[in-house]
Amino acid sequence: MEDIEDLLVGNGSGSPPGFRLPLNAVGVNLKKNKNKPKLHAKQLSETPISSKIPGTQTIYIKTFGCSHNQSDSEYMAGQLSSFGYSLSDSPEEADLWLINTCTVKSPSQSAMDTLISKGKSAKKPLVVAGCVPQGSRNVKELEGVSIVGVQQIDRVVEVVEETLKGHEVRLLNRKTLPALDLPKVRKNKFVEILPINVGCLGACTYCKTKHARGHLGSYTVDSLAGRVKTVIDDGVKEIWLSSEDTGAYGRDIGVNLPILLNAIVAELPSDGSTMLRIGMTNPPFILEHLKEIAEVLRHPCVYSFLHVPVQSGSDAILTAMNREYTVNEFRTVVDTLTELVPGMQIATDIICGFPGETDKDFSQTVNLIKAYKFAQVHISQFYPRPGTPAARMKKVPSNIVKQRSRELTSVFEAFTPYNGMEGRVERIWITDIAADGIHLVGHTKAYVQVLIVAQESMLGTSAIVKITSVGRWSVFGEVIETLNQINQKSKSVEKMLSEEKCSPCSDPCDSCACSGESEPCACGPESCGGQSTIEQSDVLQNEVLREDQNRRNLIGWLLRKRKNQAQKMVENGIASGSQKKQEWAKGAPEEWGVVDRALLGGLIVSVFTTVAILIHLGFKTMSSK
């Protein structure tokens, strides 16, 4: 079956993003079942209407792989939902399955194969997207299903429509990037996964992703900054920059990563309500920009966290992998960022058992991990991917590969990266619910995961917490204060944050002098000569401790409770109209809340009790006379 793009009527240029081709302009492979009995008129009239009208069916979407794949699925879900399709988490209830695949590891592709087999057995129409069909379009498992390529996600509605009609379609070839402003249904409404480029400049001998995502293709700085501004207006509180190699961004269009980061930081709210997380970057392309990247990582609205895969601690293995850097260059990246960025956290990846890896090579890898004691290490066994140079290399016996993987995992799990955090006061950003359904998940500036017990209404907010205990993978905290984002920040937070948006940290201090008051600039102490991060932390901690003492006062607690209730009603939109919202914000609500009624009831009961006692004492005195 040829690609749809090769069968288009007209000049062959395809359709613009979001444009749905008419049926006679799309080449399809019509499936005909000769054994299928013909339907009589009565049977046709009884056929459910949802099976006839496009846009009324239910779609099940399953995503494998990286955050870039997740973003692609959210874009496809958004377009389908906008066209009228319903989205379901139940594959049994769905009329069609859309499977977004990953080709990085064999287990991911095996899971895809299993799901496709289940779909075929259940006679579900199937559309397969992602890296597997793009990089290996002729694999046996894709026979008889529709496929949509990684750069064709803006035309998923067409593919779904034709597949529901019983046609098998393919849509793979394209020369332009999908638009960033397509409709999107986020898995987490507070998190925007923003792809900044597709493909990469590397040629790693083990990687299949390059076959699917292709050569580097970057979005423009203006389009990405515009997208950031849009999602912040939508209520997003965390932005993840995603790509196959963040560090390579812009090299195909004459810009670089620091230029993009500074442009994005300029769009972030100065109140710290929205945080930026920089995505995975390989060492070669950030070596020349380490100081600029460190400056961005110090910004109050950027997580002090970076994922830098090393893959091996042996130069010989890195050469065999064609990774284009040495172990010492990786060390330079880690050492520089750790030195320049307070609290910097770095995650890395290791492949165990790459072809040709000796005991000495593996020992060097173990020593590297022990030296840095990374809080996050993603350990995987080598999986030969068809069509890659590494698949033709002499393999390490599987039992040795598994043994090395277990050994390195044991070394890593013995680390205690969060010891010493207990008792500390931290600001966190809360964006998710933990898997146990009890805790909410927040992250510190250094992207340490903090679990708290709190109401779901705190999702999308920031809070000051005290770390009560530490675990191996996360820490536990107790909320001291919730930081609201509607001009209701505490004095301690106002000291940290400026009143207006600041220019990027690379600009001089006078460009981010946000008011005439002597408040520290949000651009960071290093660039503006303001308070150091440690000094600000001390001020914040002292403020929090003073407020904690005040909480022992019952009247103070009740007043705060009433004020917080009024603020919460403003934020949740309970009070209607701008005038009513202003009255709530001023502490003069028109309706009585639970605390108000409890206070009034308590006062009334106290008055009646006092009167009853006085009457009783009066009667007792009179009778004694």
Side-chain angles (χ1 to χ4, degrees), residues 276-320:
L276 176 69
R277 193 185 84 174
I278 303 174
M280 184 275 289
T281 177
N282 288 312
F285 301 112
I286 61 169
L287 278 166
E288 63 187 275
H289 300 301
L290 284 177
K291 290 185 178 179
E292 295 98 319
I293 291 174
E295 195 169 11
V296 174
L297 289 166
R298 288 196 300 266
H299 192 281
C301 297
V302 181
Y303 285 121
S304 304
F305 171 84
L306 198 60
H307 179 193
V308 187
V310 63
Q311 304 299 6
S312 175
S314 164
D315 282 337
I317 296 302
L318 291 178
T319 300

Side-chain angles (χ1 to χ4, degrees), residues 158-445:
E158 298 171 50
V159 178
V160 166
E161 279 188 2
E162 296 303 323
T163 304
L164 285 168
K165 294 174 184 176
H167 305 155
E168 176 190 340
V169 298
R170 288 190 172 195
L171 200 58
L172 290 169
N173 297 331
R174 185 147 184 183
K175 297 180 180 179
T176 59
L177 300 175
L180 291 171
D181 59 354
L182 295 170
K184 198 170 192 180
V185 175
R186 299 183 185 91
K187 183 178 180 181
N188 183 331
K189 69 177 182 179
F190 298 112
V191 176
E192 166 73 6
I193 304 172
L194 180 60
I196 63 173
N197 56 262
V198 300
C200 68
L201 295 175
C204 300
T205 56
Y206 58 85
C207 184
K208 184 78 171 178
T209 306
K210 182 68 177 280
H211 295 199
R213 295 284 182 179
H215 197 66
L216 181 68
S218 303
Y219 287 95
T220 65
V221 172
D222 289 344
S223 65
L224 291 165
R227 179 64 180 174
V228 167
K229 186 176 181 179
T230 299
V231 301
I232 290 173
D233 292 340
D234 289 343
V236 162
K237 300 301 178 183
E238 205 166 275
I239 299 170
W240 299 358
L241 302 187
S242 178
S243 79
E244 283 62 59
D245 187 355
T246 302
Y249 169 80
R251 290 174 177 257
D252 57 320
I253 58 174
V255 294
N256 57 44
L257 182 60
I259 292 174
L260 172 65
L261 294 178
N262 284 318
I264 290 177
V265 165
E267 297 295 338
L268 299 177
S270 62
D271 64 358
S273 58
T274 302
M275 294 294 288
L276 176 69
R277 193 185 84 174
I278 303 174
M280 184 275 289
T281 177
N282 288 312
F285 301 112
I286 61 169
L287 278 166
E288 63 187 275
H289 300 301
L290 284 177
K291 290 185 178 179
E292 295 98 319
I293 291 174
E295 195 169 11
V296 174
L297 289 166
R298 288 196 300 266
H299 192 281
C301 297
V302 181
Y303 285 121
S304 304
F305 171 84
L306 198 60
H307 179 193
V308 187
V310 63
Q311 304 299 6
S312 175
S314 164
D315 282 337
I317 296 302
L318 291 178
T319 300
M321 292 178 171
N322 196 28
R323 289 290 289 170
E324 299 180 347
Y325 59 87
T326 64
V327 175
N328 281 337
E329 287 173 328
F330 171 78
R331 288 179 180 271
T332 297
V333 172
V334 176
D335 292 342
T336 302
L337 294 179
T338 303
E339 177 185 355
L340 297 179
V341 184
M344 183 70 195
Q345 291 280 331
I346 292 179
T348 195
D349 298 348
I350 296 292
I351 296 175
C352 290
F354 188 82
E357 184 184 64
T358 64
D359 289 340
K360 181 181 177 181
D361 295 325
F362 177 67
S363 177
Q364 290 174 339
T365 299
V366 172
N367 291 337
L368 179 69
I369 300 302
K370 284 182 176 180
Y372 286 101
K373 291 184 170 59
F374 298 106
Q376 297 182 40
V377 181
H378 309 114
I379 301 168
S380 62
Q381 300 174 25
F382 170 74
Y383 295 101
R385 306 302 295 131
T388 62
R392 300 189 295 269
M393 299 179 183
K394 186 177 180 180
K395 299 175 183 59
V396 176
S398 59
N399 62 320
I400 295 178
V401 175
K402 292 177 182 177
Q403 176 193 345
R404 289 174 179 172
S405 176
R406 286 193 295 267
E407 180 181 339
L408 185 58
T409 300
S410 297
V411 169
F412 164 61
E413 291 182 348
F415 298 156
T416 53
Y418 306 129
N419 277 7
M421 286 191 68
E422 189 170 349
R424 279 168 51 178
V425 175
E426 296 274 356
R427 180 176 181 176
I428 64 170
W429 289 262
I430 305 163
T431 56
D432 209 349
I433 301 174
D436 62 8
I438 300 173
H439 294 87
L440 300 186
V441 180
H443 290 91
T444 67
K445 173 73 162 66

Side-chain angles (χ1 to χ4, degrees), residues 430 432-442 450-456 459 475-477:
I430 305 163
D432 209 349
I433 301 174
D436 62 8
I438 300 173
H439 294 87
L440 300 186
V441 180
V450 182
L451 302 178
I452 62 170
V453 176
Q455 296 295 322
E456 288 188 23
L459 286 171
V475 302
F476 295 84

Side-chain angles (χ1 to χ4, degrees), residues 44-62:
L44 287 171
S45 64
E46 293 174 352
T47 302
I49 191 169
S50 63
S51 65
K52 299 178 182 179
I53 303 175
T56 59
Q57 294 88 347
T58 301
I59 311 297
Y60 167 70
I61 301 178
K62 175 65 177 178

